[in-house]
Amino acid sequence: MGRTLITIGVVLLIIGGIMILGEKVGLGKLPGDIFIQKGNFTFFFPIVSSIVISLILTLILNLFRR
């Protein structure tokens, strides 16, 4: 149980780091991200950013497995 919690914590730390660095390089504002704002309603769905983050994490995790 302890090892699992540590692993989850490390993964969350990596994801947080990617999100912080990603904001600086434009991640979250890529073409294809859905952003709708009407009056006091805002809807944001970062579909392309999610795909990019998924690809990066897949590459990183595959490097650690080998």
Side-chain angles (χ1 to χ4, degrees):
M1 180 73 170
R3 186 173 289 215
T4 303
L5 289 175
I6 290 173
T7 304
I8 291 171
V10 169
V11 169
L12 288 175
L13 183 68
I14 291 170
I15 291 171
I18 290 172
M19 290 176 72
I20 290 171
L21 293 174
E23 289 176 359
K24 294 181 182 180
V25 296
L27 200 61
K29 298 177 184 173
L30 294 174
D33 290 344
I34 299 170
F35 181 76
I36 301 171
Q37 187 173 8
K38 291 187 179 183
N40 61 355
F41 173 76
T42 302
F43 177 76
F44 178 66
F45 186 69
I47 190 162
V48 175
S49 296
S50 299
I51 292 170
V52 170
I53 290 172
S54 175
L55 289 172
I56 291 170
L57 287 175
T58 300
L59 291 173
I60 290 171
L61 292 175
N62 280 333
L63 288 175
F64 282 125
R65 281 192 205 176
R66 293 179 187 206

